[in-house]
Amino acid sequence: MDIGRLHEVEDFQWVLEPEGAMRVPGVLYADEALLEGMDDRVLEQVANVAALPGIVQASYAMPDAHWGYGFPIGGVAAFDPDAGGVVSAGGVGFDISCGVRTLRTGITAKDIQPHQKALADMLFHRIPAGLGSHGKIHLSPGQMDDMLAGGARWAVQEGYGEPEDLERIEGYGYMPGADPAQVSGRAKERQKDEMGTLGSGNHYLEVQKVAAVHDPETAEAFGLREGDVVLTIHCGSRGLGHQIGTEALKSMARAAPGHGIDLPDRELACAPLRSPEGQAYLGAMRAGINCALANRQIITHLARQGFRELFPDASLELLYDVSHNTCKEEEHRVDGETRRLFVHRKGATRAFGPGNPNLPAALRPVGQPVLIGGTMGTASYILVGEEGNETRSFGSSCHGAGRRMSRNQAKKQWRGDQVVRELAHRGILIRSPSMRGVAEEAPGAYKAVEEVVEAAEAAGLSRRVARVEPLVTIKG
């Protein structure tokens, strides 16, 4: 990226002043090296988002930002419905509510060692993964609507998990305002056999060891100790979310001229929050969020069953579940005034700091866990929302390492079986139905997650609590 158009207002905070149609500044949280590694289109997309009606304060980009559809991945923007604010399907993304959940297993890396291969094989057998993967759960039309309205709450009621899980899920396990009637028959058809599946792309289930504790006090509050084993699940709303996004983008693009919206980029198709199109999308998108929450809850149940076959004393208590492709109505202070805003986070994680009333009582004193995925061959991180972050980025942070090359480029550089062998030599077992998918997600295709996490910490978005390293990865 050409950073000549930016100026650094403080460490790790760069500003693009309003120009052209921009209504607010662009703000990028990164160091110079991360900025220079970003595609030029990231800055273009930050500026385009800043031109949308009703945007508040700034158009933000997180340290892992890279080019996306309409919004940059790693983009955050809030819109005020009282100021003609819009909702954008491109600002949520196609994999609605793709997110991460981490569970404490109650066992240690030493306990895992003799059973690592059996654990890898068992999880691969139990958790369907890959493009078009189907599970053993088949939803009737009535069950589909109940799931879309109820999210993880529905899943727990159906026997997939424990009521205590809901306390540790963003939004307590479901998204109010979901309207299954706004979800098309095609979207529902795509999802009816996909519950409890990982899908493909960068989605995974990973057994990890806590390799280092950076913040002992917060780690204690999170129940994490060095040498512990945790289980992390990264997936979303599968085919249903993709179909909702595809249909909404077409509908919004057609309706935009009638609402007087001049789109700087067709991929930024949007609709006023209070328009029929905006309300229809919100109802469908919220149903997509519930689908993803239910999906991760079912996968959790399947993983618990398998884990306890090998380790009867394993606890598998949920640490937290947080999404990173959403639009949520939230209260934020802007210019000394509390306003209800619709915050888009696309490839960005909610990261509320200590004291936030939206956090469960057990976590409120320390802040929200922020779960940051690395790659199959590198560390991931558990962070915590930093105090004051709500004023810096509407309480948001990075979501992962961020790609540094496309999937096609990665396939040309690596072979999947080669990646699997190299990681096995390092003690990391990979199970996947697709060697092409492994090549696309090779560790070298991503930025160094440590650099992204350090930038988020230096910018005051989130703080490192623990570093976790992979032992077993199941991926599509």
Side-chain angles (χ1 to χ4, degrees):
M1 174 192 294
D2 177 10
I3 63 174
R5 294 164 61 192
L6 303 173
H7 65 274
E8 192 173 15
V9 296
E10 57 182 81
D11 288 345
F12 293 85
Q13 181 177 343
W14 300 72
V15 172
L16 173 67
E17 296 294 347
E19 56 186 43
M22 292 173 65
R23 302 168 190 260
V24 294
V27 175
L28 295 86
Y29 290 109
D31 61 15
E32 195 166 333
L34 284 170
L35 286 175
E36 289 176 345
M38 293 179 188
D39 189 287
D40 283 335
R41 292 195 65 185
V42 171
L43 196 58
E44 176 187 337
Q45 291 186 321
V46 167
N48 286 343
V49 171
L52 293 178
I55 189 169
V56 173
Q57 198 161 283
S59 167
Y60 295 97
M62 299 295 104
D64 54 337
H66 55 104
W67 172 81
Y69 191 96
F71 272 56
I73 296 170
V76 175
F79 297 85
D80 187 343
D82 292 333
V86 297
V87 61
S88 170
V92 173
F94 290 102
D95 193 2
I96 295 170
S97 195
C98 182
V100 184
R101 70 165 48 191
T102 294
L103 299 99
R104 303 180 299 258
T105 66
I107 57 179
T108 69
K110 289 182 179 179
D111 298 326
I112 291 283
Q113 196 89 37
H115 308 284
Q116 189 177 2
K117 183 178 182 301
L119 180 61
D121 293 340
M122 177 275 298
L123 290 171
F124 184 55
H125 174 72
R126 282 186 172 269
I127 315 296
L131 184 65
S133 53
H134 288 173
K136 295 180 180 180
I137 298 168
H138 311 288
L139 299 184
S140 69
Q143 290 172 320
M144 173 67 69
D145 285 351
D146 289 344
M147 180 272 291
L148 295 176
R153 291 188 180 186
W154 168 86
V156 169
Q157 290 168 0
E158 293 294 309
Y160 302 110
E162 307 296 335
E164 294 78 16
D165 294 338
L166 302 176
E167 181 80 5
R168 293 301 185 103
I169 302 174
E170 181 184 8
Y172 298 94
Y174 93 114
M175 184 69 177
D179 185 357
Q182 298 298 336
V183 179
S184 71
R186 172 60 180 148
K188 294 175 181 178
E189 178 69 22
R190 291 183 65 176
Q191 192 65 28
K192 70 176 185 179
D193 298 323
E194 291 190 346
M195 298 306 296
T197 66
L198 281 174
S200 59
N202 63 348
H203 296 161
Y204 59 82
L205 179 148
E206 194 163 83
V207 180
Q208 303 160 327
K209 65 179 178 183
V210 178
V213 169
H214 300 281
D215 180 341
E217 185 177 346
T218 305
E220 180 69 22
F222 286 178
L224 300 171
R225 293 174 299 180
E226 193 168 321
D228 284 353
V229 167
V230 297
L231 178 71
T232 293
I233 299 163
H234 174 209
C235 64
S237 50
R238 301 287 276 115
L240 180 134
H242 195 283
Q243 191 67 30
I244 290 171
T246 299
E247 293 170 0
L249 283 164
K250 293 178 181 177
S251 169
M252 289 176 173
R254 287 194 300 266
H259 294 297
I261 298 174
D262 183 18
L263 295 173
D265 178 356
R266 184 178 174 83
E267 293 182 358
L268 272 180
C270 58
L273 283 155
R274 290 179 174 155
S275 69
E277 296 84 3
Q279 289 296 303
Y281 175 70
L282 286 173
M285 183 269 299
R286 289 164 173 164
I289 290 176
N290 284 336
C291 176
L293 295 176
N295 191 35
R296 291 197 289 276
Q297 186 64 36
I298 293 170
I299 292 173
T300 296
H301 174 73
L302 297 174
R304 280 172 170 159
Q305 286 182 323
F307 239 91
R308 287 168 180 162
E309 286 180 5
L310 292 174
F311 308 99
D313 295 330
S315 59
L316 283 98
E317 296 175 350
L318 185 55
L319 169 61
Y320 207 65
D321 178 304
V322 65
S323 299
H324 50 235
N325 280 352
T326 61
C327 172
K328 291 194 169 184
E329 187 176 4
E330 299 172 356
E331 283 192 352
H332 288 278
R333 296 282 293 177
V334 179
D335 297 329
E337 176 189 3
T338 299
R339 298 163 70 176
R340 292 201 67 82
L341 306 175
F342 286 75
V343 183
H344 294 62
R345 296 184 181 94
K346 179 179 179 180
T349 307
R350 198 189 75 174
F352 287 166
N356 192 293
N358 292 285
L359 299 179
L363 296 173
R364 205 168 297 152
V366 293
Q368 179 204 301
V370 180
L371 310 172
I372 305 300
T375 74
M376 291 180 290
T378 62
S380 296
Y381 282 84
I382 297 171
L383 315 180
V384 66
E386 192 67 280
E387 186 171 4
N389 185 29
E390 283 83 346
T391 63
R392 296 187 187 98
S393 61
F394 297 111
S396 308
S397 188
C398 55
H399 86 303
R403 295 195 74 93
R404 69 178 185 88
M405 65 173 64
S406 70
R407 288 184 167 86
N408 282 333
Q409 289 173 315
K411 283 189 297 184
K412 292 176 182 177
Q413 190 160 339
W414 291 283
R415 285 179 46 184
D417 56 351
Q418 171 196 7
V419 173
V420 170
R421 285 195 302 271
E422 289 176 354
L423 293 178
H425 285 311
R426 293 170 45 197
I428 303 167
L429 301 185
I430 307 297
R431 296 291 185 269
S432 174
S434 169
M435 288 300 103
R436 184 184 73 174
V438 172
E440 291 175 347
E441 298 300 315
Y446 284 82
K447 301 171 187 175
V449 68
E450 291 82 5
E451 295 177 9
V452 170
V453 167
E454 287 170 5
E457 187 170 54
L461 307 178
S462 49
R463 186 176 71 255
R464 281 173 288 186
V465 176
R467 186 179 81 248
V468 297
E469 296 180 348
L471 298 170
V472 171
T473 302
I474 311 300
K475 75 163 307 298

